[in-house]
Amino acid sequence: MARARPYDFQGYAQRARPGSFHVIDRKTLAARASRRPRTRAAPFGVVILVLLISLFPARGWAAAYGTVSGVVRDGNNRPIAGAKVVLESVTHAIIERQTDSTGRFDFPSMAIGQYLLSISRRDFASFSQPVTVQAGYFPFVSIVLKPPSDLTEVTVTATRLPLVASITPITMVSQEDIENSPGATNVNSLAMITDYVPGAYQAHDMLHIRGGHQTNWLIDGVEIPNTNIAENLGPVLNPQDVDTLGIERGGYLADEGDRTYGIFNVIPKSGFSRDNQAELDLTGGNFAQTNDYFSVGSHTDDFAYYASVEGNRSDLGLQAPVAQVIHDETHGYGTFANLQYKPSQHDTVSLVAQLRQDVYQIPDCTVAVLAADPGCVGQFGDAQGEADNFAVLSWAHTFTNNAVLTSSFLYHFGRADYDGGAGDYPTITTYHHSSQYEGGEEQLKWDVSRNHLDAGVFGFAQQDRVDYNLAFTDGSSPTLSELERPTGGLIAAWVQDTFAVTHWLNLSAGVRQSHFQSSFTENATDPRLGATVQLPKLGWVLSAFWGKYYQAPPLETLSGPLVTYASANDTAFLPLHGERDTERLFGVTIPVMGWTIEADYFVTESTNFFDHNPLGESDIYLPITDQGALIEGRELTLRSPAFWPYGQVHLAYSNQTADCSGSITGGLVVAGTACGSPPVALDHDQRNTLNVGYDAKLPQQFFIGSNLSVNSGLSNGFAPPTHLPGYAVLDLTAGRNISHDLSVSITALNVTNRHLLTDNSLTFGGLHWNNPFQIYAELRYKFHY
């Protein structure tokens, strides 16, 4: 939490469900399908890499993958052998199988997203059906093929739990969803998350979800490690490079869960969806804003490439501390590539890489504004530069025994450099922090009878460089400088089994063992238990989960002259230890005429809850740990049918409390500060959050998109009242597809210009007003080369 009062060394005041499909004929199916969303390494690091390489080749696949299995029979319930089964994706290569002597087929390693399942054999009518693949799901369908004379109707029934039956609450967001959500394609936007996920919102320019801000980003199921908290403001990934985003927010199986509050599983765009095709996207609007993007992609039978470049700038970057937008320019650029090679039907090699650079001015308050609004803390010339670069190399081999070999190696570099301006008083703070990670991941997943076995290991080595400089413009002390080079690493191993007791009951049990080593060592054993039950006739699915999580701490520390100075001013920097969480979750999924309603209740109890404090008037976040935190919430999501003729509707609602209790146990500590007893609301606590979106395709190739966000208000910090006033923001977009390759649109964000103070925690730029009305035009053009 960024406290309501800042502290520094001087103590300044501060989803085609397969349950029952009815297919009339291939022509109807084809029409429907056409509307689908188209330093030097630390010794511990050496140990980690040796362990990972020694495990090669373990069998498995990453968390961004699911399975599709089934059996094909004729009208007399006899298995049909030798039938051709094709799983086709708009964005990935076509995969073909043949049914065996029992009529069975398996696709054990399919990336999450939308597919078309087709089955054909001579003397039988062909069958096709859209399918959604989600991580951790094990759908098994029974398909009946009939002679052509019986083509009136083909019925497909699921003999196991349907695709939406999962212990883990998951929100699937496609590239079409992103393009239809106003503002979501802007590189600095998080609308692809906040518009669709209950309890997800931005506070003090940071994404919060389910009451916390420790989240994981995965690329093709491989984690991009990042132990730092609340430092980087820039995007981890350009939304335009995302094909499918699977957002998990709890109930993780043992292969996941180092960052408790959200897992963002990205399947990037692939050249298999293009044939020597390029795409150009240009925008321009008020605040001199532009987001410009260019990509190319193509493929052969066994190789595909996709690459993009992007540049952006705006005079409206971070949320300003007052109504005026002052000293708030931002600009950045990035490049992204996804290379895939399929040397055989059973092997895939991929390389995904990114380079990103961003610069943010910290919004200033002029002297006149400061006089009119004393709550505005001015930062005169402060700026932050950032980098976020990564590369993931993976190899996957599919075995005929329903196992897949994957080996992934990763590299991640992140940097956040804060430079105070010459006008800062009484101190000018410089804080440069970079982190480098090297690691890998191996998994074993194997379907044995009704068991879905999963075992694996993940680890990384980390090297940080932290450079502090504190200059006193009031002459009260000489300049203080410090350079820290902490190192550390994490290795985690897990085993998990999901057992299909019957077609309506699944049980899951697993355990994750984590070992963290830096200046101290921590170990954690985290069991995970869950179950799903499908109610007969109703088709409702009930789920329950209990599990524990461990989150490795940041490596940040202070020593030397800064600690001496801090101690003399009743301030200290205590060692940071890992966060430990216990989660209970109960959910229900209800299908209604193609609509999907999901509701859940969760409780997360945390020890050493990761939070942050600003360093004086510098706007620098330094991590802290609160002794305890309790987060409790009720969530609801609703999605319209994938082919609903009236457009697409999505709703995400959360009623939630996020409280902390006890003392500050680590990080930047000021004497006499604590969460207190009884518990008090965290500064990012927002009780009610609602997002409702609707988009539709209109006659004459016109289209519209909208999202209404209703927020009850963040914790006040200066009670009473306990929370700031609520507010609503409406975003709209409208445009026209002039041709298959050319479209134009206009987007308006915060249409009613509901511009007010939404956060009074003094963090980046001081207080926070939400962004005012924005409008921009967009041109999107596709062409072949």
Side-chain angles (χ1 to χ4, degrees), residues 66-315:
T67 70
V68 178
S69 303
V71 64
V72 182
R73 298 184 176 92
D74 62 16
N76 297 316
N77 203 35
R78 295 174 300 192
I80 299 177
K84 180 180 178 181
V85 186
V86 178
L87 202 57
E88 178 182 0
S89 168
V90 173
T91 58
H92 298 278
I94 299 172
I95 308 298
E96 295 186 6
R97 296 283 188 271
Q98 277 195 338
T99 56
D100 60 20
S101 60
T102 66
R104 181 176 175 123
F105 64 88
D106 294 278
F107 296 91
S109 180
M110 302 307 302
I112 59 174
Q114 302 291 330
Y115 293 85
L116 183 67
L117 176 66
S118 302
I119 302 175
S120 61
R121 211 194 81 160
R122 185 170 50 89
D123 300 330
F124 288 92
S126 299
F127 160 83
S128 296
Q129 176 64 50
V131 172
T132 299
V133 175
Q134 297 190 10
Y137 291 174
F138 313 110
F140 189 97
V141 295
S142 178
I143 298 172
V144 178
L145 296 185
K146 295 186 177 182
S149 59
D150 297 332
L151 188 57
T152 305
E153 183 177 69
V154 177
T155 301
V156 184
T157 59
T159 60
R160 294 188 187 178
L161 294 178
L163 287 174
V164 294
S166 174
I167 298 170
T168 305
I170 302 177
T171 300
M172 296 284 288
V173 179
S174 68
Q175 177 60 214
E176 186 177 36
D177 292 330
I178 296 172
E179 293 177 355
N180 290 336
S181 299
T185 58
N186 291 345
V187 69
N188 285 305
S189 172
L190 291 171
M192 66 179 179
I193 298 173
T194 58
D195 285 3
Y196 292 89
V197 180
Y201 48 84
Q202 284 187 270
H204 33 264
D205 294 299
M206 297 288 178
L207 175 66
H208 292 72
I209 179 172
R210 276 201 170 186
H213 27 42
Q214 291 288 80
T215 59
N216 264 355
W217 285 86
L218 281 67
I219 305 297
D220 281 332
V222 180
E223 178 182 337
I224 306 300
N226 185 11
T227 64
N228 299 322
I229 175 176
E231 286 189 358
N232 287 77
L233 299 167
V236 175
L237 199 72
N238 186 340
Q240 300 228 58
D241 291 324
V242 176
D243 172 59
T244 304
L245 177 63
I247 306 166
E248 307 175 26
R249 59 184 190 275
Y252 311 120
L253 302 184
D255 63 328
E256 297 179 311
D258 283 334
R259 309 283 102 177
T260 301
Y261 302 99
I263 294 178
F264 310 131
N265 222 334
V266 176
I267 302 298
K269 287 183 177 179
S270 163
F272 280 114
S273 64
R274 298 188 178 188
D275 187 8
N276 293 329
Q277 187 179 53
E279 181 175 334
L280 177 66
D281 193 348
L282 304 174
T283 70
N286 63 344
F287 296 103
Q289 66 174 290
T290 184
N291 280 262
D292 303 322
Y293 159 89
F294 178 73
S295 67
V296 295
S298 191
H299 70 278
T300 63
D301 290 340
D302 55 9
F303 175 74
Y305 68 89
Y306 166 87
S308 69
V309 294
E310 172 272 329
N312 68 90
R313 65 96 50 217
S314 177
D315 289 337

Side-chain angles (χ1 to χ4, degrees), residues 328-642:
D328 200 12
E329 191 264 339
T330 180
H331 63 271
Y333 61 90
T335 182
F336 181 88
N338 182 12
L339 309 178
Q340 294 178 293
Y341 176 53
K342 297 179 177 291
S344 72
Q345 182 179 353
H346 301 289
D347 294 277
T348 301
V349 179
S350 67
L351 174 64
V352 182
Q354 171 184 277
L355 295 173
R356 278 217 57 80
Q357 303 286 327
D358 294 279
V359 175
Y360 298 88
Q361 291 181 337
I362 307 301
D364 283 346
C365 303
T366 64
V367 174
V369 172
L370 186 60
D373 184 2
C376 179
V377 179
Q379 313 300 327
F380 300 96
D382 295 17
Q384 174 154 306
E386 300 185 355
D388 202 322
N389 310 323
F390 64 78
V392 179
L393 176 64
S394 297
W395 169 53
H397 177 76
T398 303
F399 292 87
T400 57
N401 58 353
N402 301 331
V404 179
L405 164 69
T406 59
S407 298
S408 299
F409 299 90
L410 63 95
Y411 172 82
H412 182 211
F413 175 82
R415 174 176 57 84
D417 291 350
Y418 186 100
D419 293 285
D424 285 358
Y425 184 89
T427 61
I428 300 176
T429 305
T430 302
Y431 174 78
H432 291 182
H433 185 189
S434 62
S435 298
Q436 183 171 281
Y437 308 82
E438 310 92 6
E441 180 177 273
E442 300 285 346
Q443 276 187 292
L444 165 67
K445 185 144 185 169
W446 191 14
D447 291 350
V448 182
S449 184
R450 291 181 292 173
N451 296 84
H452 304 280
L453 302 173
D454 187 344
V457 62
F458 167 80
F460 62 85
Q462 178 179 354
Q463 307 92 45
D464 280 21
R465 177 189 171 99
V466 188
D467 191 353
Y468 300 90
N469 186 282
L470 193 62
F472 294 82
T473 54
D474 63 355
S476 62
S477 173
T479 298
L480 301 177
S481 298
E482 179 177 329
L483 176 62
E484 299 283 348
R485 295 177 180 269
T487 60
L490 173 84
I491 188 164
W494 66 88
V495 61
Q496 176 80 43
D497 181 29
T498 301
F499 178 58
V501 182
T502 71
H503 69 277
W504 53 267
L505 173 63
N506 275 6
L507 300 178
S508 179
V511 63
R512 185 181 183 95
Q513 179 70 39
S514 301
H515 173 78
F516 171 79
Q517 182 174 319
S518 183
S519 58
F520 59 91
T521 298
E522 288 187 327
N523 293 284
T525 303
D526 298 327
R528 316 275 175 89
L529 302 173
T532 57
V533 179
Q534 185 180 24
L535 301 182
K537 297 182 180 180
L538 287 175
W540 297 15
V541 179
L542 308 179
S543 61
F545 173 85
W546 174 91
K548 291 181 175 291
Y549 311 123
Y550 168 79
Q551 302 188 51
L555 299 185
E556 288 177 277
T557 186
L558 292 177
S559 64
L562 285 175
V563 169
T564 302
Y565 182 83
S567 299
N569 290 274
D570 296 324
T571 306
F573 195 95
L574 302 180
L576 287 156
H577 291 270
E579 178 178 329
R580 299 172 189 260
D581 307 299
T582 301
E583 181 191 24
R584 302 189 303 274
L585 171 70
F586 304 93
V588 58
T589 301
I590 304 174
V592 180
M593 299 179 65
W595 292 69
T596 302
I597 303 171
E598 298 183 10
D600 65 77
Y601 167 77
F602 75 92
V603 177
T604 301
E605 298 174 275
S606 175
T607 302
N608 279 347
F609 176 78
F610 285 134
D611 219 327
H612 50 84
N613 256 344
L615 178 60
E617 297 183 4
S618 68
D619 288 329
I620 295 174
Y621 288 115
L622 287 180
I624 64 172
T625 51
D626 298 322
Q627 184 174 356
L630 178 64
I631 304 169
E632 180 179 7
R634 289 147 288 274
E635 300 172 327
L636 175 68
T637 64
L638 180 149
R639 292 294 296 263
S640 62

